[in-house]
Amino acid sequence: MILVTGASGQLGSAIVESLKVAGVPLISGTRSPVVGSSDRYVDFDDPGTLDFTGVETLVLVSAGYAEDDVVIARHERVVTAAQRDGVQHLIYTSLATAGDHLGFALAHRWTERRIQESGVQWTILRNGIYADLFGALMAPDDGVITSPLGKHGVAVVTRGDLAAAAAIVASNPKEHAGRIYDLVGSHAVTAEEVARYAGLPYKPESLDVRRKTLNTSGLLPFQPSMLLSLYSSAAHGFLKGTGSDLEQLLGRPLTDTVPVAAGTL
Ligand SMILES: NC(=O)c1ccc[n+]([C@@H]2O[C@H](COP(=O)([O-])OP(=O)(O)OC[C@H]3O[C@@H](n4cnc5c(N)ncnc54)[C@H](OP(=O)(O)O)[C@@H]3O)[C@@H](O)[C@H]2O)c1
């Protein structure tokens, strides 16, 4: 049996949907189980809820949006429970190799290492930056797109393509054991390109101006530096590298990411 964590989240629910469409039986692991369904209540912050008995393949969708130590503690509990309950294969949705300079990379790389040393078979899916997140990073102000994303572009991907790839791996995990897939896009999308597609004017902004805006916008303490790391990595060309792992896993061209990014403006 396959269990997918974060099953009510955007990526997790898309993985569940892809598995269902393929007719693969699974259990949804979530903090919002549907009453009367086979869903399992799974909260990484509460070790008592981590029951993976009968689970052969665990798809661990990262539970980010928090400080490193919080995310690491969550993932540590999941891997420990997976070892205890005899999970045979762990699939982890990680961060693209090119994201090594991002503020949230450390927790991903720590989790990868923890899984690789767990004794459980594993596959690491190093997911690229979501196309709609890229769009959100360049949200227009008074109808003008201002962003410090630079000119290099980002090889963004859609959650739908990432979910389809995760479902393919989860359906046949042995074939993908010990593999790290770098699931980035086949085209580096620029902010200017998305603005043009959306028919909006584009005015580049400096990292310094954006830093000041983020630092005074009432975000959670960890968020300004994490967001800045995304802008800075993109602006300095660290996220532009394209790849073929995702296309190869899916056996088809990737979804066009420009309309997806523009859809969140
Ligand atoms: N590649 C990228 O561009 C990118 C960008 C942002 C984030 N991420 C990472 O990718 C993950 C999935 O993205 P997404 O778009 O699906 O995010 P999302 O829609 O916010 O979903 C995240 C899900 O994580 C689960 N979760 C959070 N805290 C948890 C906890 N304490 N215990 C168990 N589950 C918990 C929740 O699932 P339930 O509601 O089912 O409990 C939540 O819905 C994020 O959590 C983050 O680590 C990647």
Side-chain angles (χ1 to χ4, degrees):
M1 181 60 74
I2 299 169
L3 187 143
V4 180
T5 74
S8 300
Q10 297 168 85
L11 180 64
S13 60
I15 296 172
V16 167
E17 197 48 41
S18 293
L19 286 165
K20 280 186 180 164
V21 168
V24 180
L26 75 129
I27 301 170
S28 292
T30 176
R31 295 165 303 164
S32 313
V34 174
V35 179
S37 72
S38 63
D39 294 359
R40 242 181 241 189
Y41 186 84
V42 171
D43 181 355
F44 302 167
D45 291 324
D46 180 358
T49 69
L50 302 180
D51 173 11
F52 301 129
T53 47
V55 174
E56 287 157 12
T57 302
L58 179 65
V59 181
L60 168 55
V61 174
S62 62
Y65 304 116
E67 290 84 354
D68 288 343
D69 51 331
V70 175
V71 177
I72 285 171
R74 288 175 179 161
H75 293 175
E76 165 61 30
R77 292 183 200 110
V78 175
V79 179
T80 299
Q83 289 173 298
R84 179 199 64 210
D85 293 342
V87 169
Q88 289 165 26
H89 199 113
L90 245 166
I91 297 166
Y92 175 59
T93 66
S94 187
L95 172 68
T97 311
D100 269 342
H101 304 285
L102 296 173
F104 40 94
L106 187 147
H108 282 295
R109 299 294 176 251
W110 182 92
T111 306
E112 291 183 1
R113 197 178 58 195
R114 174 71 179 87
I115 290 170
Q116 286 166 335
E117 293 171 354
S118 69
V120 180
Q121 292 289 313
W122 53 267
T123 307
I124 308 288
L125 305 177
R126 286 191 166 179
N127 288 351
I129 301 301
Y130 303 148
D132 58 352
L133 170 62
F134 186 72
L137 290 173
M138 46 183 289
D141 186 12
D142 270 344
V144 178
I145 292 183
T146 50
S147 98
L149 284 161
K151 294 183 169 173
H152 296 286
V154 177
V156 293
V157 279
T158 65
R159 284 191 188 78
D161 282 352
L162 293 172
I168 286 167
V169 171
S171 305
N172 197 358
K174 283 198 179 112
E175 198 178 297
H176 306 281
R179 299 288 306 271
I180 297 177
Y181 293 112
D182 215 12
L183 304 180
V184 294
S186 48
H187 166 63
V189 177
T190 63
E192 195 168 6
E193 193 179 355
V194 176
R196 204 180 318 120
Y197 181 90
L200 290 170
Y202 174 63
K203 188 168 149 260
E205 188 182 70
S206 72
L207 282 165
D208 190 42
V209 168
R210 185 56 59 111
R211 182 182 300 114
K212 285 178 180 127
T213 308
L214 290 173
N215 283 337
T216 52
S217 53
L219 294 169
L220 293 170
F222 68 89
Q223 287 176 319
S225 62
M226 282 200 185
L227 286 167
L228 233 335
S229 73
L230 265 168
Y231 287 118
S232 186
S233 284
H236 293 102
F238 283 97
L239 301 174
K240 68 180 177 186
T242 57
S244 58
D245 281 1
L246 186 52
E247 241 170 338
Q248 273 169 19
L249 270 178
L250 298 179
R252 61 163 171 80
L254 305 186
T255 306
D256 187 358
T257 47
V258 174
V260 178
T264 56
L265 293 177

